[in-house]
Amino acid sequence: MSNINGKVYAMNAITPMKPWKTWVVRAIFFTLGHVKSLQQDLINLSFIEFARWVVVPRQRFPYLGNGQVKEDLKYDYLLFFSNFNGTWNQYIDAFSAVLSNGLNLVWRWSEKFPGSVPVTLFKEYIARVQFDTDYYFTAYPHATANDLKSAHIVQASLDSLVQRAPNCTPEEFRSAYLNFVIQVQAHLGDTGEAPVIF
Amino acid sequence: MPNQNGSVYGLTILSPIINDERATPSHDLQIRNYLATVPTGEGSPFALAPGTHLARLVVMDDVIYVGSPSIEEHLHSKYLVFESNCDGDLDSYLLGLATAVPQHLDAIWSHCVGYPGAANPQAFAAYMKACQIETTFYFAAVNDKSVPETLRALQTQRAVSDFIARHQGMNAALLQAEFAQFATRLKSEPLPASGSMGPLRGLKTGGRNE
């Protein structure tokens, strides 16, 4: 079991919801999905590579026959999966500090959710509803979400310079190269082993 | 479509695990035992098959009781959760897995109810889709780049950083010539392996990060 691979942490959480509340959550996510400006805080939390919420209605747990007993549940369930950089504490602290309104909007419909502020009760709740990852893969264990964004900026700038370079005089090239360096200089952070966590 | 964000697909699969009291060890434990032996780096089945950015496999033993006054309830089956963030088209992705790493898929999913095996990729894809749950909300920090494009970009970032450091203050004509060679060399370099840590660069990392 490992929730960590390189610089990424895999979090899994499951919370019960009364079935009628599921529709409220669906409406909230529908709005969030279609109004991009509402995702700004999530984008600003630039240590999240991928995250998802999945509503599993109580009658929709996969049933395949072959002797499987059909589930008989009272609650619908909200699954949350996140792939983030840094430690569990840093993640929950940042979530609570930056996204408290958004998180409350999503999770207040789950049973016994205490609110995302104060953070101590929020952490206690997340620790209770979290379950561990048995196998975790990332194609880029040495890179963070910011590294990925930066790498694509460097690639785009380089492609542009490569295209332009053959048509430049040496002086024109020097000027274009300096502009290139200015464009990419903030995006050359080193990737590699994750910091040691004590 | 909530499963998709840009060109990235958020696949969520819950496969019911066979509940057989006579099995020793139990099927869920056999999955866990096997997963503990599967490489997570460049030898990972998800590195060998195309298209996976990040993926996880989790045995979900039960739902969680959050305390009174909520109702305590339990699942009849344990579920194998497969969460994958992959490139583009779902059918191509599933068929790619079945073609590239059937032995791993069989070793894992053969403990799940109704699993048809990966020898028939079409049947495998149909089974996975039968177990799929639609993602309700999906966020991707980078949603318009494939795995090879990202691996290439990370390689470029490292190379550019080294090139800039080595060519400071060089005269314009030489710089232009060296840059042209650098661009050609970089283009012809093989793509770094998915799941690898990249070349060691001798830089120190570490420190408290709690």
Side-chain angles (χ1 to χ4, degrees):
Chain A
M1 180 279 287
S2 178
N3 293 326
I4 299 172
N5 185 346
K7 291 183 173 171
V8 210
Y9 186 113
M11 173 187 272
N12 319 296
I14 183 167
T15 54
M17 286 183 302
K18 291 195 170 83
W20 70 267
K21 294 182 178 177
T22 299
W23 295 103
V24 183
V25 173
R26 284 186 188 281
I28 290 166
F29 281 129
F30 181 83
T31 310
L32 196 58
H34 286 80
V35 184
K36 296 293 174 198
S37 59
L38 296 177
Q39 296 179 25
Q40 203 51 49
D41 282 341
L42 204 53
I43 293 165
N44 289 344
L45 286 177
S46 60
F47 46 78
I48 302 173
E49 295 190 19
F50 297 97
R52 73 183 69 175
W53 281 270
V54 182
V55 172
V56 188
R58 63 200 184 287
Q59 288 150 346
R60 294 273 178 83
F61 277 79
Y63 173 68
L64 301 174
N66 293 300
Q68 183 194 354
V69 180
K70 203 162 188 175
E71 303 297 348
D72 177 23
L73 299 167
K74 300 280 187 295
Y75 291 118
D76 289 349
Y77 283 86
L78 180 62
L79 286 164
F80 174 62
F81 301 104
S82 183
N83 303 271
F84 62 86
N85 311 128
T87 68
W88 189 90
N89 269 312
Q90 288 169 334
Y91 183 64
I92 305 294
D93 282 342
F95 245 34
S96 170
V98 178
L99 265 184
S100 61
N101 289 338
L103 292 183
N104 289 342
L105 201 60
V106 169
W107 264 310
R108 67 179 296 179
W109 312 100
S110 288
E111 295 297 288
K112 301 271 285 181
F113 180 66
S116 55
V117 177
V119 73
T120 44
L121 291 175
F122 180 51
K123 282 185 179 176
E124 203 175 291
Y125 186 78
I126 295 296
R128 177 174 292 193
V129 299
Q130 185 178 350
F131 52 109
D132 288 318
T133 303
D134 290 286
Y135 179 83
Y136 192 29
F137 169 78
T138 167
Y140 332 105
H142 57 299
T144 64
N146 278 337
D147 292 329
L148 301 182
K149 290 179 195 168
S150 288
H152 288 300
I153 290 170
V154 173
Q155 182 73 65
S157 300
L158 180 74
D159 289 346
S160 162
L161 183 61
V162 167
Q163 206 165 29
R164 199 176 151 195
N167 305 319
C168 292
T169 64
E171 284 311 314
E172 286 169 346
F173 175 76
R174 189 219 291 273
S175 169
Y177 179 79
L178 284 177
N179 279 332
F180 163 72
V181 172
I182 289 166
Q183 276 172 22
V184 302
Q185 63 183 347
H187 302 286
L188 297 174
D190 194 38
T191 55
E193 297 283 341
V196 177
I197 300 171
F198 293 96
Chain B
M1 190 169 71
N3 287 329
Q4 194 105 24
N5 187 332
S7 61
V8 188
Y9 194 96
L11 177 63
T12 312
I13 282 174
L14 266 65
S15 303
I17 298 170
I18 297 168
N19 186 4
D20 179 0
E21 289 174 359
R22 291 164 300 170
T24 309
S26 59
H27 287 283
D28 57 293
L29 185 54
Q30 289 187 57
I31 294 175
R32 283 190 157 125
N33 281 341
Y34 184 75
L35 290 177
T37 67
V38 179
T40 56
E42 47 197 290
S44 164
F46 299 105
L48 301 175
T52 306
H53 293 268
L54 286 91
R56 74 185 73 179
L57 288 160
V58 185
V59 173
M60 188 170 82
D61 293 307
D62 202 351
V63 292
I64 288 169
Y65 173 58
V66 290
S68 175
S70 71
I71 301 162
E72 182 175 352
E73 60 182 357
H74 298 281
L75 295 173
H76 290 305
S77 299
K78 297 184 180 193
Y79 289 84
L80 174 63
V81 181
F82 175 39
E83 184 253 11
S84 179
N85 305 276
C86 55
D87 282 335
D89 175 60
L90 179 59
D91 283 302
S92 309
Y93 178 66
L94 293 173
L95 294 176
L97 280 176
T99 307
V101 288
Q103 71 284 12
H104 284 294
L105 301 176
D106 288 348
I108 297 163
W109 268 277
S110 61
H111 300 287
C112 294
V113 176
Y115 177 69
N120 179 345
Q122 303 292 345
F124 169 78
Y127 167 81
M128 295 302 257
K129 285 186 192 172
C131 297
Q132 186 179 5
I133 307 281
E134 189 181 55
T135 299
T136 313
F137 179 77
Y138 184 40
F139 171 78
V142 178
N143 70 355
D144 60 348
K145 303 292 180 199
S146 66
V147 173
E149 284 172 328
T150 303
L151 290 169
R152 174 72 69 197
L154 285 164
Q155 182 184 42
T156 297
Q157 182 190 42
R158 198 177 296 122
V160 164
S161 175
D162 288 344
F163 181 86
I164 291 173
R166 285 201 311 270
H167 291 79
Q168 295 181 79
M170 188 171 275
N171 81 61
L174 191 55
L175 180 65
Q176 188 173 19
E178 296 248 323
F179 180 81
Q181 283 177 18
F182 163 73
T184 308
R185 200 170 53 244
L186 186 60
K187 203 173 172 186
S188 65
E189 275 190 27
L191 206 59
S194 173
S196 73
M197 286 300 292
L200 284 174
R201 306 191 69 206
L203 297 176
K204 300 259 183 258
T205 61
R208 294 196 74 84
N209 186 25
E210 193 174 343

